[in-house]
Amino acid sequence: MKLKKSLHHFLLIIGLSFPVFGQESELSVEKIMQDPAWMGTFPSIVHWGADSERIYFNYNAENDPSDSLYKINIRNRGKIEKVSLREKRKMLPRYGDFNKKRSKKVYAENGNLRLYTLKTGESTTLLDLGSDIENPKFLKDEDKIAFQLDQNVFVFNSENGSIQQLTNFKEGSEKGEKETESSEKDEWIKQENLQLLGVVNERKLQKESSENYQKSIAEDEPSSFYLEGKTLSQLQVSPNAKFAGFQLIKRDNDESTIVPNYVDESGYTVDLPARSKVGDENNMVEMGIYNFSKDTVFILDTSKLPGIKDIPDYTKDYPDKEWEEKERQVIPSEIFFSEDGEKAVVNFRSADNKDRWIAAVDLETGELNVLDRQRDEAWIAGPGVGYTYWGGAVMGWLPDNEHIYFQSEETGYSHLYLLNVTTGEKTALTNGEFEVFDPFLSNNKKHWYLTTSEIHPGERHFYKMPLMGGKMEKLTSMTGKNDVTLSPDEKYMTILHSYSNQPEELYLKRTNSSAEAEKLTSGKSEAFSAYNWREPELISFEAEDGAMVPARLYLPEENVKNNAAVVFVHGAGYLQNAHKWWSSYFREYMFHNLLTDLGYTVIDIDYRGSAGYGREWRTGIYRHMGGKDLSDQIDGVNYLIKNHNIDPEKVGIYGGSYGGFITLMAMFTEADTFKAGAALRSVTDWAHYNHGYTANILNEPALDPIAYRRSSPIYFAEGLEGDLLIAHGMVDVNVHFQDVVRLSQRLIELGKEDWEMAIYPVEDHGFVEPSSWTDEYKRILELFNESLLK
């Protein structure tokens, strides 16, 4: 890169407290990129004690090497105490299952089945079987507790102490088990080993004793079901203990990749295992029902799902190719049983993620009755809908055993729905141009609690709503983001609240709309508080297609304004950053304050594909990444030129991951708009990224090569004219270092000169070391100062 060096430039990089180009700032790259501990300590991962009297959260009031667990007693909430190691060991685990009255909690700890009684605050061990007990749950008859042991379901009867085995899954095949016999030589070696090694023999005897005990208290063992080399997953028993649902996964041996680690402590180059590439994933998943009374298992037949053979619309772009109407692969969710255990539903997704079916399951026959189908020619996703077919969907039953609830983007925004499984009637509980997040039922099952963006796309508030819908009561009032955690008795709620220029702090509030929120923490350091952090202006500008694009805008004072602009592109694609809360990109936020101090105008755009604005915005990048998501950046620049007197010859762009990808596309295809760009940890060729993310947006490379060619920067590298900085961690197991190695070879072959690469040998996708952050952002600042202000 042809950059001019100067003393002023050197001072700018190392200190930024000296006047440079007639500007100065209280900030420096070193300051804002140092260990975040300099900013103070801020609460995270909040949860309540089972007695609803103590709030636990991660914090660091004592300058420890990392966050520790702290607590506040709501009866003495002015005191923040660190939880001792001894107390932590005695704490009730957060996982487990409460009974309906929430007076008892069953959980597994150290492999044992334990019961906590709320009234006494005491825990007792119910079972110690010598093997790890997992996933205990109260059944409809709460004297009985289901649990899993060695991939099978058992029921413990607390009245008589008996154990009943409900399932009998076994590895291998029935044929293989019959054929497996030990040879005389193998048996001799085994006995010699047991005689020589006392500990091994002791463990064998202990295992046999445990198995004999289980058999002595168990009823007749059910028939064996052999897994035939498949993996058992999502094993769920019905509340009436009549059925179980489960997944069987046949894993394809995907062609994995490696990431070389050149700075391993061994001194040798070590290959890190990494993901496969898009198009390689081909796992088969089936849903089975175990009928205990019939002692039989049947696999659900998805061949009759409506539209199972539908051919996607994108195939019209390939008229010369014959597309066969064939049954698509389907991925089931876990099974959702009604509270009485007599009914069940399953959420199915097509492997191409263009269809979702919610189907009722006849538990006696395994027949499916489709209750709802959502088809999206792009891909199924959205809050509460789940981003891929591997989960994340909101779904469950109301206590009437007639209605299920789920979220859908049917109206273009993700809302909460009820569906009567008998009549098929569907009711929208929420509606409007906003989205619903994390709905859940109250303890008494008479209300919903949910978070929405109804007030503004850049705000989150917590609400209470009647079970069958109606007026929502807004329980939070502070502008910004309100992450609420209810106390177990639902009388109080903690609020992790933040604003655009204020990091998260913890508040306590009674669970009603009229109560005042009380601030419990004040974590900002004096050094952090000394600077007047900007509140970026939330704006929207008109895109070329008429859409109004949201953005954050940072405007410098007129006396320092240099008429140069920097466009920041957030990562992840489906992420929101033009909002009213403290950004997860807090380093970039501080860097934007520094740039603004130095006279730059900074814009941070929620381009097409970003989260928070509904289905049309989410899918605006389908089959063309680097299309509308890039044109939104260009339209943002045009807005700045027209409204804020920006010099068209002084515009730069930067971002990481997806933001790095957009930066490359901008530098390669829009050279007239962007004079400099910093592409960090960038995807350069989408055919080399992972399957779950990429196949949703671009389909598969072999099936839709057009989408990949027009979306991958490496095909457009010949268009580079401005100054480009490429920065990448060498042990990045998400976007592999190979991406930028291939691109650099392409740039070399094209004879491009005005680019340079910074490599970071010890960094993964998300940088960790302050020295790496500092080096990277010094280079970014150097790029903009030399390229835009010359």
Side-chain angles (χ1 to χ4, degrees), residues 188-417:
W188 183 88
I189 291 175
K190 175 182 176 181
Q191 294 303 323
E192 282 292 295
N193 191 53
L194 291 172
Q195 290 178 26
L196 288 168
L197 304 177
V199 172
V200 175
N201 188 50
E202 207 174 289
R203 289 178 179 176
K204 174 180 178 290
L205 294 174
Q206 184 181 15
K207 181 180 178 182
E208 289 175 349
S209 175
S210 174
E211 290 173 348
N212 290 333
Y213 171 71
Q214 292 177 38
K215 291 177 181 178
S216 69
I217 60 176
E219 300 180 11
D220 292 339
E221 187 178 89
S223 299
S224 299
F225 180 85
Y226 292 90
L227 298 178
E228 304 284 350
K230 300 173 184 177
T231 301
L232 182 70
S233 180
Q234 298 290 355
L235 180 58
Q236 305 282 337
V237 64
S238 63
N240 58 8
K242 292 182 178 180
F243 310 96
F246 58 93
Q247 287 182 356
L248 290 176
I249 306 175
K250 183 178 181 181
R251 302 192 183 279
D252 191 15
N253 293 322
D254 299 340
E255 187 175 348
S256 60
T257 56
I258 59 170
V259 173
N261 179 7
Y262 293 98
V263 288
D264 185 74
E265 63 182 25
S266 67
Y268 289 86
T269 299
V270 175
D271 289 336
L272 304 177
R275 55 163 175 80
S276 58
K277 299 182 188 293
V278 59
D280 288 340
E281 189 172 298
N282 192 30
N283 297 327
M284 302 290 291
V285 186
E286 299 170 306
M287 168 65 71
I289 301 295
Y290 210 129
N291 186 316
F292 301 139
S293 62
K294 295 181 179 179
D295 197 17
T296 58
V297 170
F298 46 81
I299 304 299
L300 301 186
D301 179 11
T302 60
S303 63
K304 296 179 182 178
L305 291 174
I308 191 64
K309 295 183 179 181
D310 283 2
I311 297 173
D313 285 355
Y314 76 82
T315 57
K316 296 174 183 176
D317 281 356
Y318 302 92
D320 296 333
K321 183 175 180 179
E322 291 187 11
W323 296 88
E324 179 186 357
E325 286 191 7
K326 62 180 181 179
E327 183 181 330
R328 286 175 290 156
Q329 183 184 341
V330 169
I331 311 292
S333 69
E334 64 181 275
I335 193 165
F336 296 89
F337 289 105
S338 59
E339 290 192 4
D340 62 8
E342 299 295 336
K343 299 173 183 176
V345 295
V346 178
N347 184 27
F348 294 97
R349 293 215 187 197
S350 58
D352 64 9
N353 214 12
K354 298 188 186 301
D355 273 287
R356 182 197 68 178
W357 300 269
I358 297 174
V361 183
D362 186 320
L363 294 172
E364 295 294 338
T365 66
E367 290 187 10
L368 299 176
N369 175 30
V370 174
L371 303 171
D372 186 77
R373 178 192 180 193
Q374 183 182 336
R375 171 77 176 182
D376 196 319
E377 285 295 341
W379 73 100
I380 301 288
V385 182
Y387 196 72
T388 70
Y389 50 72
W390 286 117
V394 168
M395 186 168 287
W397 286 83
L398 296 193
D400 64 3
N401 299 301
E402 284 292 328
H403 289 87
I404 60 168
Y405 62 84
F406 60 95
Q407 284 186 244
S408 171
E409 281 189 322
E410 181 177 323
T411 65
Y413 290 84
S414 183
H415 284 288
L416 181 62
Y417 290 82

Side-chain angles (χ1 to χ4, degrees), residues 543-563:
E544 62 181 2
D545 62 357
M548 298 305 295
V549 182
R552 274 185 168 190
L553 182 63
Y554 301 76
L555 295 174
E557 299 294 332
E558 283 297 325
N559 63 323
V560 299
K561 185 176 179 179
N562 57 25
N563 297 326

Side-chain angles (χ1 to χ4, degrees), residues 557-713:
E557 299 294 332
E558 283 297 325
N559 63 323
V560 299
K561 185 176 179 179
N562 57 25
N563 297 326
V566 171
V567 178
F568 170 66
V569 189
H570 69 66
Y574 191 65
L575 180 143
Q576 187 177 7
N577 207 43
H579 49 59
K580 298 182 183 180
W581 60 84
W582 184 249
S583 175
S584 58
Y585 289 95
F586 62 91
R587 291 183 180 88
E588 289 78 359
Y589 164 77
M590 293 189 287
F591 185 60
H592 298 161
N593 276 263
L594 168 58
L595 287 174
T596 310
D597 283 349
L598 299 176
Y600 290 92
T601 299
V602 181
I603 192 168
D604 172 0
I605 300 169
D606 272 348
Y607 51 87
R608 239 63 70 93
S610 297
Y613 307 98
R615 184 263 170 197
E616 186 176 352
W617 207 263
R618 174 180 66 79
T619 61
I621 58 174
Y622 178 57
R623 297 191 69 218
H624 192 183
M625 299 155 93
K628 288 183 179 180
D629 45 2
L630 175 56
S631 65
D632 285 344
Q633 317 296 331
I634 298 164
D635 292 332
V637 172
N638 291 334
Y639 163 83
L640 295 180
I641 293 170
K642 181 179 179 180
N643 294 278
H644 295 283
N645 198 30
I646 294 301
D647 185 339
E649 298 299 317
K650 294 184 175 182
V651 179
I653 185 170
Y654 89 102
S657 194
Y658 197 98
F661 148 72
I662 288 290
T663 297
L664 290 176
M665 290 295 276
M667 295 301 294
F668 294 166
T669 67
E670 296 293 337
D672 291 341
T673 303
F674 300 102
K675 305 305 174 185
L680 323 174
R681 48 197 177 275
S682 317
V683 175
T684 67
D685 187 343
W686 286 107
H688 288 254
Y689 197 51
N690 70 32
H691 184 88
Y693 181 87
T694 319
N696 279 343
I697 305 171
L698 300 180
N699 304 307
E700 293 188 23
L703 300 177
D704 195 2
I706 292 173
Y708 282 81
R709 280 189 165 269
R710 66 186 173 199
S711 299
S712 297

